[in-house]
Amino acid sequence: MTSTSAPSTDAREHALDLGEFVAASPSSFHAVATATDRLSAAGYSPLDESDDWSLEPDGKYFVQRDGALIAFALPGDVSAATGFRILGAHTDSPSFKLKPHPDFSTAGWKQANVEIYGGPLLNSWLDRELRFAGRISDRAGREYLVSTGPIARIPQLAIHLDRGVNEGLKLDKQVQVQPIVGTAAAAGDAAGTGILSVLAKQAGIAVEDIAGADVVVADTQAPRLFGDAEQFLASGRLDNLSSVHAGLMALLDTRADGAIPMLAAFDHEEIGSGSRSGAAGPFLEDVLVRINAGLGGDAVIYRRAIAESWCVSSDAGHLVHPNYQGHHDPINRPAPGRGPLLKINANQRYTTDAPGTAMWMQACADAGVSTQEFVSNNQVPCGSTIGPITATRLGIRTVDVGLGLLSMHSAREMCHIEDALALRQAIAAFF
């Protein structure tokens, strides 16, 4: 369909469900919890990495490692030589993260000391009601998921005090992005609570029992449809929960047949993937090796299975921005409502090659959806994804795709809802 057509009922339902998924997933840890709830409801069984795995044909399983998740389904005729069809995505998004000892006061205001996580569009976070979400650990090593309501805000300076602000806004990354969370106690008053006290109350523990925190800032504005035909979805964290959600729903839509469909949702992509739960870590390889061994494989059979496998690295990409057209390639012009992106880069910032293109084109044809190529303007540096990392680490054939967005890395991004549904449908066909 074209971007001027009214969206289908299926696209609307998918977009509303995507919005619910994002709203329930303010941190990578919450994204994993939201996904595992859906997997469990669909009959998927959890696997513990410290246990022996007993895998059965037609079995459905998932493995969680911190803020990362791998889920897979085994065909009835599975063997150790069966190949994998992996959808790779990431659970984290650009934001801010609490520093140790985050509570401080300035000029009568209580604030939370935060560090920039990844590459957010800083100005998009100003004047928004914000929440804190993630996990905390107590002194006994127990972990708790925490998520506050709208308790924070990064206020912008009034134009009366900075007459040149509309000529260019530059924020001090240490001083001017610290959220306000309350008013400081006056002399003689009882001490204020602070963000750690709020998080401790959420977890049901004493604040002095908090030993560590992996807590980020998230926007509290609910996702919603908009546009003259409600053909667009505005939401935080579409990069890259749109891919996690599409891969999850495609997996739940799929009956394993001839290959092992798998969702691999990693953490820490926005900061380089270098962690035990990131794509540059051993998580995916650990799971693949254990599946293969559980099916009676050995080192040689494992390599045969990898040679039969594909990975689709799905991460958000760029539609042509109508107000900044010169920042895009003049020939390849991705437009809203015309299908997910096939991401290509000569310098292998994306892994797509000719065989990968043919495979993705066939998956889209089988799904009955369109796709469109994305390449960068030669004057604009190209980003990257987990695709090159996965291909390099595992030697697996990999192709890069994704949902086209505007306002990528903003606190609130946007996409066309037909594209979001088409991505899910193409992934299901790939599986």
Side-chain angles (χ1 to χ4, degrees), residues 169-218:
L169 174 65
K170 182 174 176 59
L171 296 171
D172 185 306
K173 295 178 181 179
Q174 177 58 47
V175 176
Q176 294 169 344
V177 297
Q178 306 302 334
I180 288 171
V181 296
T183 53
D189 290 345
T193 54
I195 185 59
L196 287 183
S197 294
V198 175
L199 297 177
K201 184 176 181 180
Q202 278 261 318
I205 61 175
V207 65
E208 57 268 21
D209 288 335
I210 295 179
D214 297 314
V215 173
V216 297
V217 176

Side-chain angles (χ1 to χ4, degrees), residues 121-265:
L121 274 172
L122 294 178
N123 66 300
S124 71
W125 290 83
L126 303 178
D127 300 332
R128 289 181 171 274
E129 290 66 55
L130 305 173
R131 67 199 292 195
F132 294 91
R135 69 175 177 184
I136 59 176
S137 296
D138 66 16
R139 296 186 182 280
R142 293 181 290 262
E143 297 181 5
Y144 307 84
L145 277 183
V146 291
S147 178
T148 74
I151 66 170
R153 183 180 172 97
I154 305 172
Q156 192 164 188
L157 185 65
I159 193 171
H160 312 78
L161 304 177
D162 183 5
R163 295 292 183 178
V165 65
N166 287 329
E167 305 306 316
L169 174 65
K170 182 174 176 59
L171 296 171
D172 185 306
K173 295 178 181 179
Q174 177 58 47
V175 176
Q176 294 169 344
V177 297
Q178 306 302 334
I180 288 171
V181 296
T183 53
D189 290 345
T193 54
I195 185 59
L196 287 183
S197 294
V198 175
L199 297 177
K201 184 176 181 180
Q202 278 261 318
I205 61 175
V207 65
E208 57 268 21
D209 288 335
I210 295 179
D214 297 314
V215 173
V216 297
V217 176
D219 185 23
T220 60
Q221 186 176 2
R224 69 172 302 161
L225 302 180
F226 76 102
D228 58 7
E230 292 195 329
Q231 67 270 58
F232 303 123
L233 174 67
S235 173
R237 302 182 297 285
L238 291 176
D239 178 14
N240 188 36
L241 293 185
S242 60
S243 293
V244 176
H245 177 263
L248 173 65
M249 300 313 294
L251 182 63
L252 297 180
D253 291 342
T254 298
R255 183 183 183 279
D257 182 20
I260 300 173
M262 174 180 286
L263 167 65

Side-chain angles (χ1 to χ4, degrees), residues 375-393:
V375 291
S376 293
N377 185 301
N378 291 348
Q379 299 286 357
V380 179
C382 180
S384 192
T385 68
I386 65 169
I389 297 171
T390 303
T392 301
R393 181 171 178 81

Side-chain angles (χ1 to χ4, degrees), residues 308-393:
E308 287 292 325
S309 301
W310 278 98
C311 176
V312 169
S313 165
S314 182
D315 202 348
H318 305 289
L319 299 175
V320 173
H321 196 304
N323 300 337
Y324 300 89
Q325 295 189 47
H327 290 68
H328 300 272
D329 182 74
I331 306 301
N332 296 277
R333 312 284 285 176
R338 299 180 186 175
L341 307 181
L342 175 65
K343 301 162 72 174
I344 301 168
N345 180 258
N347 296 301
Q348 285 290 287
R349 301 288 287 172
Y350 307 131
T351 54
T352 304
D353 58 11
T357 297
M359 185 278 291
W360 179 248
M361 292 289 188
Q362 186 61 56
C364 290
D366 290 344
V369 302
S370 301
T371 188
Q372 47 189 335
E373 292 90 351
F374 168 82
V375 291
S376 293
N377 185 301
N378 291 348
Q379 299 286 357
V380 179
C382 180
S384 192
T385 68
I386 65 169
I389 297 171
T390 303
T392 301
R393 181 171 178 81

Side-chain angles (χ1 to χ4, degrees), residues 63-82:
V63 191
Q64 180 179 346
R65 181 183 288 187
D66 299 329
L69 170 73
I70 294 176
F72 59 95
L74 299 179
D77 59 351
V78 68
S79 74
T82 301

Side-chain angles (χ1 to χ4, degrees), residues 103-128:
D103 296 319
F104 72 103
S105 298
T106 306
W109 302 95
K110 284 191 303 187
Q111 294 183 265
N113 192 18
V114 297
E115 184 174 6
I116 293 171
Y117 179 90
L121 274 172
L122 294 178
N123 66 300
S124 71
W125 290 83
L126 303 178
D127 300 332
R128 289 181 171 274

